[in-house]
Amino acid sequence: MKVLVIGADKGLGALLPGVLKEGGHDVAAGYYNLEGYSGDTDDDILRLQMDVTDETQLLKAADRLKEKYGELDAVIDVAGILLNDDREKNLLEQPLESIRAHMDVNALGLLLAFRSLLPVMAKGSRFFAVTSEGGSFTLAGTLFPAYSVSKTAANKFVQVLRLTLAEQGNTDVDLIAVHPGRMNTEMGRTTANMEPIDSAYGFRDLVEGKTKVDSSKNWFIDYKGNPMPV
Ligand SMILES: NC(=O)c1ccc[n+]([C@@H]2O[C@H](COP(=O)([O-])OP(=O)(O)OC[C@H]3O[C@@H](n4cnc5c(N)ncnc54)[C@H](OP(=O)(O)O)[C@@H]3O)[C@@H](O)[C@H]2O)c1
């Protein structure tokens, strides 16, 4: 399969290209900062500059992907931020710029990435939007507040975009929100109960269809395919 990972600089996103390659897939990886990238140098991976807040970069990457692969079978959009302000300050104290930055990357960034890549998605393809349990209304709390609100917006983008595609009779692409687990990464270090490599293998099973998903019933799932509460 032809698979794109967005947000491959570090954390879960940095592991996914290797895990997907190991599974025999053609892999492209999008970076927030491609110039600064110093990880795996496997030349088989198509590496692209893809800041999810920059529509010009995303459209340029989509052109390059079309040229190289024609169409994509799956996208995993892992890009996300959790700023220190949001670890330390509630919504009454936190600077608006910090709250806005979470919305820009975690919510609007997903919309921009999905819109830009839709023309290069194959019939029967899947777009996995990595959101978070923090975006659930049901699992309420005040931890990482701006982050959580932005992930709720991301989940809502997924729901509304799914309905929009259905209204347009577009059944080519299945857009799914995925909670990746509480991973031991730079972002998740204070709440982790698992390693990101386990999540990466979970995503590979989702991409390959080994983990069955009925998104008409559950469009928000975890990396093992279990339904998540909206
Ligand atoms: N860790 C957890 O426990 C946990 C729990 C629930 C959900 N999640 C979600 O899972 C995803 C991966 O989390 P992680 O723990 O692997 O986080 P991470 O280690 O902080 O990695 C986040 C990735 O997103 C990239 N990124 C940031 N801003 C971007 C932008 N504007 N455009 C493109 N890429 C951008 C980062 O690039 P740079 O390195 O260059 O900044 C990095 O590659 C995130 O969406 C996160 O919200 C994580």
Side-chain angles (χ1 to χ4, degrees), residues 155-167 175 219:
N155 281 341
K156 189 71 186 177
F157 270 130
V158 169
Q159 185 190 44
V160 175
L161 285 167
R162 287 179 60 83
L163 293 169
T164 305
L165 293 179
E167 275 172 13
L175 173 61
W219 53 262

Side-chain angles (χ1 to χ4, degrees), residues 22-193:
E22 194 185 285
H25 302 287
D26 290 327
V27 183
Y31 296 82
Y32 174 59
N33 178 13
L34 181 58
E35 267 184 29
Y37 177 73
S38 60
D40 177 10
T41 52
D42 178 347
D43 286 338
D44 278 353
I45 294 173
L46 174 64
R47 298 182 201 279
L48 301 161
Q49 174 61 41
M50 292 180 85
D51 175 347
V52 294
T53 66
D54 186 332
E55 194 168 24
T56 307
Q57 282 184 15
L58 293 170
L59 292 172
K60 196 171 158 200
D63 283 347
R64 180 70 187 99
L65 288 159
K66 190 179 174 63
E67 191 181 276
K68 166 110 178 171
Y69 299 118
E71 289 179 324
L72 296 170
D73 299 303
V75 173
I76 309 174
D77 180 6
V78 175
I81 58 167
L82 168 56
L83 300 179
N84 280 337
D85 266 345
D86 203 42
R87 294 182 190 272
E88 293 157 9
K89 298 190 179 84
N90 65 37
L91 288 179
L92 301 175
E93 301 158 353
Q94 199 172 141
L96 198 57
E97 309 85 74
S98 163
I99 298 170
R100 193 174 276 135
H102 289 92
M103 296 301 286
D104 262 353
V105 178
N106 298 345
L108 286 168
L110 163 62
L111 174 66
L112 274 188
F114 184 72
R115 286 204 317 204
S116 307
L117 292 162
L118 189 56
V120 294
M121 300 298 292
K123 232 181 195 344
S125 60
R126 281 181 160 168
F127 191 108
F128 297 97
V130 179
T131 66
S132 174
E133 63 181 348
S136 164
F137 276 100
T138 314
L139 309 173
T142 56
L143 186 69
F144 311 147
Y147 171 86
S148 296
V149 170
S150 68
K151 291 291 189 177
T152 305
N155 281 341
K156 189 71 186 177
F157 270 130
V158 169
Q159 185 190 44
V160 175
L161 285 167
R162 287 179 60 83
L163 293 169
T164 305
L165 293 179
E167 275 172 13
Q168 295 185 338
N170 182 342
T171 52
D172 290 356
V173 187
D174 198 8
L175 173 61
I176 299 166
V178 189
H179 169 59
R182 293 179 189 170
M183 305 174 292
N184 184 20
T185 59
E186 188 176 316
M187 181 187 291
R189 63 191 188 275
T190 58
T191 48
N193 59 14

